[in-house]
Amino acid sequence: MPFIGKQTDSVNSKIKKYSFTVTDSTQQNFTIASKGSDELQVFLNGVLLQENIDYTASTTQVSLTSNAVQNDIVDIQIYQSFVLADAVTQSASQATAISSAIALGG
């Protein structure tokens, strides 16, 4: 099956989820933390919004193009790519010991 979306060097990802209940009918901005390479989806009451039409996003904030209504639910999902080698951190001595054990078959 062909890839749909932005192709990255990594096939691994994790999802960071934010959920906001609007408390003020003038609220448009929602604070997030992402990287420039992350992809995100924004939902308003379960409906997927379109980037640059319904909202704009930066690495620290999602801004709706029109005000949300009190008690609306805004869900934001951020898809963060990572290289599998970055998923586990260890000291250089541990890495050397593991590499040696693998190379020796034990």
Side-chain angles (χ1 to χ4, degrees):
M1 178 176 196
F3 181 81
I4 298 173
K6 295 179 190 173
Q7 183 68 44
T8 62
D9 294 334
S10 171
V11 296
N12 301 301
S13 65
K14 64 180 181 177
I15 302 172
K16 186 186 288 186
K17 297 180 181 183
Y18 294 88
S19 187
F20 303 93
T21 300
V22 177
T23 57
D24 181 356
S25 61
T26 62
Q27 187 172 1
Q28 283 183 286
N29 301 319
F30 304 90
T31 303
I32 61 167
S34 71
K35 298 176 187 172
S37 61
D38 294 341
E39 292 190 42
L40 57 106
Q41 291 183 318
V42 179
F43 299 86
L44 178 62
N45 296 323
V47 176
L48 178 62
L49 303 180
Q50 292 183 304
E51 187 174 12
N52 298 322
I53 295 173
D54 301 315
Y55 72 93
T56 58
S58 69
T59 57
T60 59
Q61 179 173 284
V62 168
S63 299
L64 301 179
T65 55
S66 60
N67 294 348
V69 177
Q70 188 172 3
N71 294 323
D72 276 352
I73 305 294
V74 176
D75 292 311
I76 302 169
Q77 296 181 353
I78 301 174
Y79 300 90
Q80 298 178 313
S81 297
F82 65 92
V83 177
L84 189 56
D86 294 340
V88 178
T89 58
Q90 53 188 312
S91 70
S93 61
Q94 289 174 321
T96 302
I98 291 171
S99 297
S100 297
I102 292 171
L104 297 174

mmCIF file of all heavy atoms in Angstrom, residues 44-89:
data_model
loop_
_atom_site.group_PDB
_atom_site.id
_atom_site.type_symbol
_atom_site.label_atom_id
_atom_site.label_comp_id
_atom_site.label_asym_id
_atom_site.label_seq_id
_atom_site.Cartn_x
_atom_site.Cartn_y
_atom_site.Cartn_z
ATOM 1 N N LEU A 44 -12.659 19.368 16.336
ATOM 2 C CA LEU A 44 -13.587 20.204 17.097
ATOM 3 C C LEU A 44 -14.876 19.414 17.234
ATOM 4 O O LEU A 44 -15.547 19.130 16.230
ATOM 5 C CB LEU A 44 -13.838 21.536 16.396
ATOM 6 C CG LEU A 44 -14.823 22.485 17.063
ATOM 7 C CD1 LEU A 44 -14.323 22.900 18.451
ATOM 8 C CD2 LEU A 44 -15.067 23.711 16.201
ATOM 9 N N ASN A 45 -15.185 19.008 18.469
ATOM 10 C CA ASN A 45 -16.356 18.171 18.740
ATOM 11 C C ASN A 45 -16.381 16.922 17.855
ATOM 12 O O ASN A 45 -17.419 16.505 17.349
ATOM 13 C CB ASN A 45 -17.649 18.972 18.579
ATOM 14 C CG ASN A 45 -17.744 20.088 19.594
ATOM 15 O OD1 ASN A 45 -17.331 19.943 20.729
ATOM 16 N ND2 ASN A 45 -18.270 21.227 19.170
ATOM 17 N N GLY A 46 -15.203 16.329 17.656
ATOM 18 C CA GLY A 46 -15.095 15.082 16.906
ATOM 19 C C GLY A 46 -14.953 15.238 15.406
ATOM 20 O O GLY A 46 -14.774 14.256 14.696
ATOM 21 N N VAL A 47 -15.031 16.454 14.887
ATOM 22 C CA VAL A 47 -14.918 16.692 13.447
ATOM 23 C C VAL A 47 -13.484 17.134 13.124
ATOM 24 O O VAL A 47 -12.980 18.090 13.720
ATOM 25 C CB VAL A 47 -15.930 17.772 12.986
ATOM 26 C CG1 VAL A 47 -15.753 18.081 11.512
ATOM 27 C CG2 VAL A 47 -17.353 17.332 13.295
ATOM 28 N N LEU A 48 -12.855 16.445 12.177
ATOM 29 C CA LEU A 48 -11.483 16.769 11.775
ATOM 30 C C LEU A 48 -11.461 18.106 11.055
ATOM 31 O O LEU A 48 -12.213 18.333 10.101
ATOM 32 C CB LEU A 48 -10.938 15.672 10.855
ATOM 33 C CG LEU A 48 -9.525 15.873 10.306
ATOM 34 C CD1 LEU A 48 -8.499 15.926 11.434
ATOM 35 C CD2 LEU A 48 -9.191 14.757 9.327
ATOM 36 N N LEU A 49 -10.604 19.011 11.521
ATOM 37 C CA LEU A 49 -10.470 20.336 10.919
ATOM 38 C C LEU A 49 -9.356 20.343 9.880
ATOM 39 O O LEU A 49 -8.442 19.525 9.935
ATOM 40 C CB LEU A 49 -10.176 21.377 12.002
ATOM 41 C CG LEU A 49 -11.202 21.485 13.137
ATOM 42 C CD1 LEU A 49 -10.777 22.570 14.129
ATOM 43 C CD2 LEU A 49 -12.593 21.766 12.599
ATOM 44 N N GLN A 50 -9.423 21.287 8.942
ATOM 45 C CA GLN A 50 -8.419 21.409 7.899
ATOM 46 C C GLN A 50 -7.413 22.491 8.250
ATOM 47 O O GLN A 50 -7.803 23.631 8.553
ATOM 48 C CB GLN A 50 -9.065 21.746 6.562
ATOM 49 C CG GLN A 50 -9.899 20.619 5.998
ATOM 50 C CD GLN A 50 -10.459 21.003 4.638
ATOM 51 O OE1 GLN A 50 -11.133 22.006 4.507
ATOM 52 N NE2 GLN A 50 -10.148 20.188 3.640
ATOM 53 N N GLU A 51 -6.125 22.126 8.162
ATOM 54 C CA GLU A 51 -5.062 23.091 8.454
ATOM 55 C C GLU A 51 -5.099 24.234 7.438
ATOM 56 O O GLU A 51 -5.385 24.033 6.267
ATOM 57 C CB GLU A 51 -3.700 22.396 8.423
ATOM 58 C CG GLU A 51 -2.572 23.290 8.879
ATOM 59 C CD GLU A 51 -1.243 22.563 8.999
ATOM 60 O OE1 GLU A 51 -1.129 21.423 8.517
ATOM 61 O OE2 GLU A 51 -0.326 23.146 9.583
ATOM 62 N N ASN A 52 -4.823 25.430 7.912
ATOM 63 C CA ASN A 52 -4.803 26.671 7.134
ATOM 64 C C ASN A 52 -6.189 27.130 6.684
ATOM 65 O O ASN A 52 -6.311 28.203 6.100
ATOM 66 C CB ASN A 52 -3.865 26.583 5.932
ATOM 67 C CG ASN A 52 -2.435 26.347 6.355
ATOM 68 O OD1 ASN A 52 -1.977 26.887 7.349
ATOM 69 N ND2 ASN A 52 -1.736 25.508 5.610
ATOM 70 N N ILE A 53 -7.214 26.334 6.914
ATOM 71 C CA ILE A 53 -8.590 26.756 6.635
ATOM 72 C C ILE A 53 -9.333 26.942 7.954
ATOM 73 O O ILE A 53 -9.892 28.000 8.215
ATOM 74 C CB ILE A 53 -9.318 25.739 5.737
ATOM 75 C CG1 ILE A 53 -8.645 25.694 4.361
ATOM 76 C CG2 ILE A 53 -10.803 26.082 5.622
ATOM 77 C CD1 ILE A 53 -9.160 24.611 3.459
ATOM 78 N N ASP A 54 -9.298 25.902 8.803
ATOM 79 C CA ASP A 54 -9.988 25.942 10.094
ATOM 80 C C ASP A 54 -9.068 26.319 11.249
ATOM 81 O O ASP A 54 -9.538 26.762 12.291
ATOM 82 C CB ASP A 54 -10.634 24.587 10.391
ATOM 83 C CG ASP A 54 -11.636 24.184 9.325
ATOM 84 O OD1 ASP A 54 -12.444 25.041 8.927
ATOM 85 O OD2 ASP A 54 -11.602 23.019 8.887
ATOM 86 N N TYR A 55 -7.769 26.104 11.070
ATOM 87 C CA TYR A 55 -6.804 26.410 12.132
ATOM 88 C C TYR A 55 -5.422 26.628 11.536
ATOM 89 O O TYR A 55 -5.147 26.234 10.398
ATOM 90 C CB TYR A 55 -6.751 25.293 13.178
ATOM 91 C CG TYR A 55 -6.086 24.026 12.680
ATOM 92 C CD1 TYR A 55 -4.720 23.811 12.872
ATOM 93 C CD2 TYR A 55 -6.806 23.036 12.019
ATOM 94 C CE1 TYR A 55 -4.104 22.656 12.416
ATOM 95 C CE2 TYR A 55 -6.197 21.886 11.559
ATOM 96 C CZ TYR A 55 -4.851 21.704 11.757
ATOM 97 O OH TYR A 55 -4.233 20.556 11.297
ATOM 98 N N THR A 56 -4.558 27.252 12.322
ATOM 99 C CA THR A 56 -3.135 27.344 12.015
ATOM 100 C C THR A 56 -2.381 26.778 13.216
ATOM 101 O O THR A 56 -2.914 26.752 14.327
ATOM 102 C CB THR A 56 -2.687 28.795 11.745
ATOM 103 O OG1 THR A 56 -3.000 29.594 12.885
ATOM 104 C CG2 THR A 56 -3.363 29.360 10.511
ATOM 105 N N ALA A 57 -1.169 26.330 12.968
ATOM 106 C CA ALA A 57 -0.408 25.701 14.050
ATOM 107 C C ALA A 57 1.040 26.142 14.018
ATOM 108 O O ALA A 57 1.618 26.379 12.957
ATOM 109 C CB ALA A 57 -0.488 24.185 13.933
ATOM 110 N N SER A 58 1.611 26.256 15.204
ATOM 111 C CA SER A 58 3.047 26.467 15.374
ATOM 112 C C SER A 58 3.534 25.365 16.307
ATOM 113 O O SER A 58 2.764 24.475 16.675
ATOM 114 C CB SER A 58 3.321 27.855 15.971
ATOM 115 O OG SER A 58 2.890 27.911 17.312
ATOM 116 N N THR A 59 4.773 25.433 16.718
ATOM 117 C CA THR A 59 5.294 24.402 17.619
ATOM 118 C C THR A 59 4.774 24.567 19.048
ATOM 119 O O THR A 59 4.914 23.658 19.857
ATOM 120 C CB THR A 59 6.828 24.416 17.639
ATOM 121 O OG1 THR A 59 7.269 25.716 18.011
ATOM 122 C CG2 THR A 59 7.398 24.046 16.278
ATOM 123 N N THR A 60 4.157 25.708 19.356
ATOM 124 C CA THR A 60 3.685 25.949 20.723
ATOM 125 C C THR A 60 2.185 26.202 20.833
ATOM 126 O O THR A 60 1.656 26.246 21.936
ATOM 127 C CB THR A 60 4.401 27.164 21.338
ATOM 128 O OG1 THR A 60 4.145 28.313 20.519
ATOM 129 C CG2 THR A 60 5.900 26.925 21.441
ATOM 130 N N GLN A 61 1.504 26.350 19.692
ATOM 131 C CA GLN A 61 0.102 26.755 19.778
ATOM 132 C C GLN A 61 -0.691 26.353 18.537
ATOM 133 O O GLN A 61 -0.183 26.382 17.432
ATOM 134 C CB GLN A 61 0.062 28.279 19.925
ATOM 135 C CG GLN A 61 -1.305 28.891 20.008
ATOM 136 C CD GLN A 61 -1.212 30.377 20.315
ATOM 137 O OE1 GLN A 61 -0.951 30.731 21.455
ATOM 138 N NE2 GLN A 61 -1.400 31.213 19.327
ATOM 139 N N VAL A 62 -1.948 25.989 18.765
ATOM 140 C CA VAL A 62 -2.915 25.807 17.686
ATOM 141 C C VAL A 62 -3.932 26.926 17.836
ATOM 142 O O VAL A 62 -4.457 27.159 18.925
ATOM 143 C CB VAL A 62 -3.612 24.431 17.778
ATOM 144 C CG1 VAL A 62 -4.806 24.353 16.845
ATOM 145 C CG2 VAL A 62 -2.630 23.315 17.477
ATOM 146 N N SER A 63 -4.193 27.627 16.725
ATOM 147 C CA SER A 63 -5.137 28.741 16.746
ATOM 148 C C SER A 63 -6.268 28.465 15.768
ATOM 149 O O SER A 63 -6.026 28.282 14.565
ATOM 150 C CB SER A 63 -4.452 30.044 16.345
ATOM 151 O OG SER A 63 -3.420 30.346 17.241
ATOM 152 N N LEU A 64 -7.484 28.427 16.275
ATOM 153 C CA LEU A 64 -8.650 28.256 15.406
ATOM 154 C C LEU A 64 -8.887 29.550 14.638
ATOM 155 O O LEU A 64 -8.615 30.648 15.140
ATOM 156 C CB LEU A 64 -9.887 27.907 16.232
ATOM 157 C CG LEU A 64 -9.814 26.637 17.082
ATOM 158 C CD1 LEU A 64 -11.116 26.443 17.855
ATOM 159 C CD2 LEU A 64 -9.529 25.420 16.224
ATOM 160 N N THR A 65 -9.412 29.446 13.420
ATOM 161 C CA THR A 65 -9.670 30.651 12.631
ATOM 162 C C THR A 65 -10.938 31.365 13.083
ATOM 163 O O THR A 65 -11.135 32.535 12.767
ATOM 164 C CB THR A 65 -9.770 30.323 11.126
ATOM 165 O OG1 THR A 65 -10.757 29.315 10.948
ATOM 166 C CG2 THR A 65 -8.431 29.856 10.593
ATOM 167 N N SER A 66 -11.794 30.659 13.826
ATOM 168 C CA SER A 66 -12.964 31.307 14.428
ATOM 169 C C SER A 66 -13.082 30.825 15.874
ATOM 170 O O SER A 66 -12.575 29.769 16.233
ATOM 171 C CB SER A 66 -14.241 30.986 13.644
ATOM 172 O OG SER A 66 -14.470 29.602 13.617
ATOM 173 N N ASN A 67 -13.743 31.603 16.684
ATOM 174 C CA ASN A 67 -13.856 31.274 18.109
ATOM 175 C C ASN A 67 -14.610 29.970 18.320
ATOM 176 O O ASN A 67 -15.586 29.680 17.621
ATOM 177 C CB ASN A 67 -14.589 32.384 18.858
ATOM 178 C CG ASN A 67 -13.818 33.679 18.895
ATOM 179 O OD1 ASN A 67 -12.641 33.712 18.565
ATOM 180 N ND2 ASN A 67 -14.482 34.745 19.286
ATOM 181 N N ALA A 68 -14.164 29.215 19.292
ATOM 182 C CA ALA A 68 -14.912 28.032 19.723
ATOM 183 C C ALA A 68 -16.042 28.498 20.645
ATOM 184 O O ALA A 68 -16.013 29.603 21.173
ATOM 185 C CB ALA A 68 -13.983 27.071 20.460
ATOM 186 N N VAL A 69 -17.026 27.655 20.825
ATOM 187 C CA VAL A 69 -18.173 27.964 21.683
ATOM 188 C C VAL A 69 -17.946 27.291 23.036
ATOM 189 O O VAL A 69 -17.338 26.234 23.118
ATOM 190 C CB VAL A 69 -19.474 27.457 21.024
ATOM 191 C CG1 VAL A 69 -20.685 27.697 21.910
ATOM 192 C CG2 VAL A 69 -19.676 28.108 19.670
ATOM 193 N N GLN A 70 -18.444 27.923 24.085
ATOM 194 C CA GLN A 70 -18.286 27.353 25.424
ATOM 195 C C GLN A 70 -18.755 25.912 25.447
ATOM 196 O O GLN A 70 -19.779 25.563 24.868
ATOM 197 C CB GLN A 70 -19.064 28.179 26.449
ATOM 198 C CG GLN A 70 -18.786 27.752 27.874
ATOM 199 C CD GLN A 70 -19.423 28.703 28.887
ATOM 200 O OE1 GLN A 70 -20.115 29.638 28.542
ATOM 201 N NE2 GLN A 70 -19.159 28.450 30.143
ATOM 202 N N ASN A 71 -17.974 25.051 26.088
ATOM 203 C CA ASN A 71 -18.185 23.608 26.233
ATOM 204 C C ASN A 71 -17.852 22.799 24.978
ATOM 205 O O ASN A 71 -18.073 21.589 24.957
ATOM 206 C CB ASN A 71 -19.597 23.277 26.728
ATOM 207 C CG ASN A 71 -19.819 23.779 28.136
ATOM 208 O OD1 ASN A 71 -18.925 23.739 28.975
ATOM 209 N ND2 ASN A 71 -21.007 24.303 28.391
ATOM 210 N N ASP A 72 -17.342 23.438 23.930
ATOM 211 C CA ASP A 72 -16.818 22.673 22.796
ATOM 212 C C ASP A 72 -15.615 21.870 23.266
ATOM 213 O O ASP A 72 -14.922 22.255 24.214
ATOM 214 C CB ASP A 72 -16.357 23.603 21.665
ATOM 215 C CG ASP A 72 -17.493 24.040 20.748
ATOM 216 O OD1 ASP A 72 -18.615 23.516 20.884
ATOM 217 O OD2 ASP A 72 -17.239 24.907 19.885
ATOM 218 N N ILE A 73 -15.362 20.772 22.603
ATOM 219 C CA ILE A 73 -14.206 19.934 22.904
ATOM 220 C C ILE A 73 -13.232 20.040 21.730
ATOM 221 O O ILE A 73 -13.604 19.779 20.586
ATOM 222 C CB ILE A 73 -14.603 18.452 23.103
ATOM 223 C CG1 ILE A 73 -15.670 18.313 24.179
ATOM 224 C CG2 ILE A 73 -13.364 17.597 23.403
ATOM 225 C CD1 ILE A 73 -15.222 18.687 25.561
ATOM 226 N N VAL A 74 -11.989 20.435 22.026
ATOM 227 C CA VAL A 74 -10.938 20.499 21.021
ATOM 228 C C VAL A 74 -9.920 19.417 21.361
ATOM 229 O O VAL A 74 -9.342 19.417 22.447
ATOM 230 C CB VAL A 74 -10.267 21.889 20.995
ATOM 231 C CG1 VAL A 74 -9.106 21.903 20.002
ATOM 232 C CG2 VAL A 74 -11.281 22.975 20.649
ATOM 233 N N ASP A 75 -9.760 18.476 20.448
ATOM 234 C CA ASP A 75 -8.773 17.410 20.610
ATOM 235 C C ASP A 75 -7.676 17.613 19.582
ATOM 236 O O ASP A 75 -7.955 17.870 18.404
ATOM 237 C CB ASP A 75 -9.414 16.036 20.397
ATOM 238 C CG ASP A 75 -10.402 15.686 21.498
ATOM 239 O OD1 ASP A 75 -10.042 15.820 22.679
ATOM 240 O OD2 ASP A 75 -11.536 15.287 21.163
ATOM 241 N N ILE A 76 -6.437 17.500 20.035
ATOM 242 C CA ILE A 76 -5.278 17.666 19.160
ATOM 243 C C ILE A 76 -4.402 16.428 19.311
ATOM 244 O O ILE A 76 -4.056 16.039 20.426
ATOM 245 C CB ILE A 76 -4.484 18.937 19.524
ATOM 246 C CG1 ILE A 76 -5.403 20.165 19.433
ATOM 247 C CG2 ILE A 76 -3.262 19.086 18.622
ATOM 248 C CD1 ILE A 76 -4.808 21.427 20.016
ATOM 249 N N GLN A 77 -4.080 15.816 18.186
ATOM 250 C CA GLN A 77 -3.199 14.650 18.181
ATOM 251 C C GLN A 77 -1.953 15.017 17.396
ATOM 252 O O GLN A 77 -2.032 15.443 16.246
ATOM 253 C CB GLN A 77 -3.888 13.447 17.546
ATOM 254 C CG GLN A 77 -5.095 12.996 18.328
ATOM 255 C CD GLN A 77 -5.777 11.784 17.710
ATOM 256 O OE1 GLN A 77 -5.434 11.335 16.633
ATOM 257 N NE2 GLN A 77 -6.743 11.261 18.420
ATOM 258 N N ILE A 78 -0.788 14.839 18.037
ATOM 259 C CA ILE A 78 0.488 15.155 17.410
ATOM 260 C C ILE A 78 1.232 13.845 17.167
ATOM 261 O O ILE A 78 1.454 13.068 18.093
ATOM 262 C CB ILE A 78 1.321 16.096 18.298
ATOM 263 C CG1 ILE A 78 0.546 17.395 18.542
ATOM 264 C CG2 ILE A 78 2.683 16.365 17.663
ATOM 265 C CD1 ILE A 78 1.212 18.338 19.517
ATOM 266 N N TYR A 79 1.588 13.614 15.916
ATOM 267 C CA TYR A 79 2.300 12.404 15.528
ATOM 268 C C TYR A 79 3.784 12.745 15.453
ATOM 269 O O TYR A 79 4.209 13.505 14.591
ATOM 270 C CB TYR A 79 1.783 11.888 14.188
ATOM 271 C CG TYR A 79 0.314 11.553 14.250
ATOM 272 C CD1 TYR A 79 -0.650 12.521 13.954
ATOM 273 C CD2 TYR A 79 -0.107 10.296 14.635
ATOM 274 C CE1 TYR A 79 -2.009 12.229 14.034
ATOM 275 C CE2 TYR A 79 -1.462 9.991 14.721
ATOM 276 C CZ TYR A 79 -2.403 10.962 14.412
ATOM 277 O OH TYR A 79 -3.743 10.662 14.498
ATOM 278 N N GLN A 80 4.551 12.173 16.377
ATOM 279 C CA GLN A 80 5.979 12.453 16.476
ATOM 280 C C GLN A 80 6.770 11.262 15.958
ATOM 281 O O GLN A 80 6.626 10.149 16.466
ATOM 282 C CB GLN A 80 6.374 12.735 17.923
ATOM 283 C CG GLN A 80 5.678 13.948 18.503
ATOM 284 C CD GLN A 80 6.056 14.174 19.944
ATOM 285 O OE1 GLN A 80 6.053 13.242 20.740
ATOM 286 N NE2 GLN A 80 6.378 15.411 20.284
ATOM 287 N N SER A 81 7.587 11.489 14.958
ATOM 288 C CA SER A 81 8.432 10.431 14.418
ATOM 289 C C SER A 81 9.687 10.279 15.269
ATOM 290 O O SER A 81 10.152 11.241 15.863
ATOM 291 C CB SER A 81 8.842 10.757 12.987
ATOM 292 O OG SER A 81 7.709 10.809 12.169
ATOM 293 N N PHE A 82 10.214 9.072 15.299
ATOM 294 C CA PHE A 82 11.470 8.838 15.987
ATOM 295 C C PHE A 82 12.180 7.668 15.338
ATOM 296 O O PHE A 82 11.569 6.834 14.689
ATOM 297 C CB PHE A 82 11.261 8.577 17.490
ATOM 298 C CG PHE A 82 10.508 7.307 17.796
ATOM 299 C CD1 PHE A 82 11.185 6.119 18.020
ATOM 300 C CD2 PHE A 82 9.126 7.300 17.875
ATOM 301 C CE1 PHE A 82 10.495 4.949 18.309
ATOM 302 C CE2 PHE A 82 8.427 6.141 18.166
ATOM 303 C CZ PHE A 82 9.112 4.959 18.376
ATOM 304 N N VAL A 83 13.470 7.648 15.493
ATOM 305 C CA VAL A 83 14.287 6.548 15.016
ATOM 306 C C VAL A 83 14.338 5.520 16.130
ATOM 307 O O VAL A 83 14.497 5.880 17.301
ATOM 308 C CB VAL A 83 15.703 7.040 14.659
ATOM 309 C CG1 VAL A 83 16.590 5.894 14.229
ATOM 310 C CG2 VAL A 83 15.612 8.098 13.578
ATOM 311 N N LEU A 84 14.195 4.271 15.798
ATOM 312 C CA LEU A 84 14.147 3.230 16.813
ATOM 313 C C LEU A 84 15.349 3.282 17.742
ATOM 314 O O LEU A 84 15.224 3.066 18.938
ATOM 315 C CB LEU A 84 14.034 1.855 16.166
ATOM 316 C CG LEU A 84 13.755 0.691 17.104
ATOM 317 C CD1 LEU A 84 12.491 0.946 17.926
ATOM 318 C CD2 LEU A 84 13.621 -0.595 16.341
ATOM 319 N N ALA A 85 16.498 3.642 17.233
ATOM 320 C CA ALA A 85 17.694 3.730 18.069
ATOM 321 C C ALA A 85 17.554 4.810 19.143
ATOM 322 O O ALA A 85 18.178 4.741 20.188
ATOM 323 C CB ALA A 85 18.921 4.012 17.208
ATOM 324 N N ASP A 86 16.713 5.821 18.893
ATOM 325 C CA ASP A 86 16.492 6.884 19.874
ATOM 326 C C ASP A 86 15.526 6.467 20.981
ATOM 327 O O ASP A 86 15.416 7.143 21.990
ATOM 328 C CB ASP A 86 15.925 8.136 19.197
ATOM 329 C CG ASP A 86 16.916 8.759 18.242
ATOM 330 O OD1 ASP A 86 18.126 8.483 18.382
ATOM 331 O OD2 ASP A 86 16.476 9.505 17.356
ATOM 332 N N ALA A 87 14.808 5.376 20.777
ATOM 333 C CA ALA A 87 13.788 4.971 21.742
ATOM 334 C C ALA A 87 14.394 4.431 23.029
ATOM 335 O O ALA A 87 13.799 4.505 24.085
ATOM 336 C CB ALA A 87 12.869 3.919 21.129
ATOM 337 N N VAL A 88 15.595 3.869 22.945
ATOM 338 C CA VAL A 88 16.264 3.319 24.118
ATOM 339 C C VAL A 88 17.587 4.049 24.285
ATOM 340 O O VAL A 88 18.392 4.089 23.368
ATOM 341 C CB VAL A 88 16.531 1.803 23.941
ATOM 342 C CG1 VAL A 88 17.279 1.249 25.137
ATOM 343 C CG2 VAL A 88 15.236 1.070 23.711
ATOM 344 N N THR A 89 17.779 4.634 25.452
ATOM 345 C CA THR A 89 19.045 5.301 25.708
ATOM 346 C C THR A 89 19.858 4.459 26.684
ATOM 347 O O THR A 89 19.315 3.797 27.558
ATOM 348 C CB THR A 89 18.834 6.705 26.298
ATOM 349 O OG1 THR A 89 18.088 6.581 27.505
ATOM 350 C CG2 THR A 89 18.078 7.594 25.315
#
